Amino acid sequence: MRRISIRTAHAAGSVGVAALAFAAVCAPLTAQGADPQLYDVDGLQVGQIVLPNDDLVAVQLYLLGGSRELMPATAGIERLLLSVSERGTVGYPGDSLRNEEVRTGSRFFSGATADWSVIGFTGLREEFDHSWELLSERVVRPSVDSAALEVTRNQFLTAVRADHEDPDASARALAEKLAFEGHPYAVDVDGTEESLTSLTADDLRAFHEQRFIRSRMLLVVAGGVDRLAVEAAVRRKLGTLPLGSYTWTPPPIWSHEEARVVVE
């Protein structure tokens, strides 16, 4: 039997949340000891620091909104879509995408938090163009192959079920569910067994069509590429996505003063 004591308090407020989000997104830039350039490329926001003598380039493309873009029935869909994109795109079907990623020597990654999802890579400056081509292909033209979806879905479900069997993970999940009841953060960006089981390839394609828009994106680049190279890279492929009308706002203030004790 586990006893979980939960006391939720008033959040820091919208100013604190916005400052925290900005600091987290810009950390790859400010850690280099220089001020980032902040600019707009056809409605897509870019933060960049140019390090002319650096042979490496770090790229992180954020899709803002996180759990606020989801419903219980679609919990985990964005993270699932980004992971499925690793298994093929329109221009690089099947294993050809992974083979090309290996050839670049870049490390590609994706993930999701309550406030945003992210996809990116770290690699050599000389491989920036090709690495960017592969990354932008995954963002703009994921094939969402049914077989690839099933493989990725099973991986996600295995992780969720493992958490269910772990007392500590189960306690944390229950605490978060109760603490954020009625708040957008109550939706798990990693997905639930129910949502992950029910999501279809058509659901992922529809989500991509509706939510992968330039106004929802924030690109962070640090390393040995200049602004002109980044602007040109963005326009080549991300520029083909719809602009949309997304405007980021701080999450609702989290307020709950009631202490709760749950026994399972």
Side-chain angles (χ1 to χ4, degrees):
M1 180 174 67
R2 301 191 303 280
R3 181 179 292 269
I4 309 165
S5 180
I6 305 165
R7 181 177 296 277
T8 57
H10 195 287
S14 61
V15 174
V17 173
L20 179 62
F22 180 80
V25 171
C26 291
L29 306 178
T30 55
Q32 300 291 332
D35 293 330
Q37 303 175 38
L38 301 175
Y39 56 93
D40 177 289
V41 181
D42 297 337
L44 192 152
Q45 299 300 308
V46 180
Q48 182 181 6
I49 185 167
V50 179
L51 303 170
N53 298 321
D54 202 319
D55 292 330
L56 294 177
V57 179
V59 173
Q60 298 181 3
L61 179 66
Y62 292 85
L63 292 153
L64 303 178
S67 60
R68 287 186 286 168
E69 299 297 305
L70 308 174
M71 300 180 295
T74 59
I77 190 171
E78 188 156 83
R79 179 169 174 257
L80 183 64
L81 176 56
L82 291 175
S83 294
V84 169
S85 73
E86 186 180 3
R87 296 181 179 275
T89 69
V90 174
Y92 297 88
D95 291 338
S96 66
L97 177 68
R98 284 189 171 183
N99 292 339
E100 289 300 314
E101 289 182 344
V102 170
R103 288 191 183 98
T104 67
S106 298
R107 182 182 68 85
F108 290 81
F109 59 88
S110 63
T113 74
D115 293 304
W116 53 63
S117 299
V118 62
I119 182 170
F121 67 85
T122 301
L124 294 173
R125 173 174 53 188
E126 63 194 44
E127 293 291 342
F128 171 77
D129 285 341
H130 192 36
S131 296
W132 175 262
E133 163 68 14
L134 300 176
L135 178 78
S136 56
E137 259 286 309
R138 291 177 58 179
V139 173
V140 177
R141 302 199 301 170
S143 57
V144 195
D145 176 81
S146 296
L149 172 57
E150 289 309 309
V151 171
T152 309
R153 185 205 311 275
N154 288 333
Q155 292 175 339
F156 278 38
L157 286 171
T158 297
V160 168
R161 289 163 182 160
D163 281 346
H164 288 170
E165 296 172 1
D166 182 333
D168 288 336
S170 296
R172 285 194 300 272
L174 179 59
E176 290 178 2
K177 178 181 178 180
L178 295 174
F180 290 114
E181 189 174 9
H183 190 279
Y185 286 175
V187 179
D188 189 345
V189 295
D190 291 331
T192 64
E193 188 165 357
E194 293 76 13
S195 66
L196 293 171
T197 299
S198 64
L199 289 170
T200 67
D202 285 341
D203 292 332
L204 269 65
R205 294 187 190 104
F207 185 89
H208 180 272
E209 182 177 353
Q210 297 163 8
R211 305 300 174 92
F212 277 50
I213 54 178
R214 299 196 310 276
S215 56
R216 194 181 156 227
M217 296 178 177
L218 170 62
L219 176 64
V220 177
V221 181
V225 293
D226 61 25
R227 174 171 173 171
L228 289 178
V230 172
E231 290 181 341
V234 169
R235 290 191 172 101
R236 274 198 304 272
K237 190 151 287 185
L238 293 187
T240 66
L241 289 171
L243 174 61
S245 57
Y246 178 87
T247 301
W248 184 85
T249 58
I253 292 176
W254 172 41
S255 180
H256 203 307
E257 302 293 344
E258 178 186 351
R260 308 174 69 176
V261 176
V262 180
V263 179
E264 284 196 346

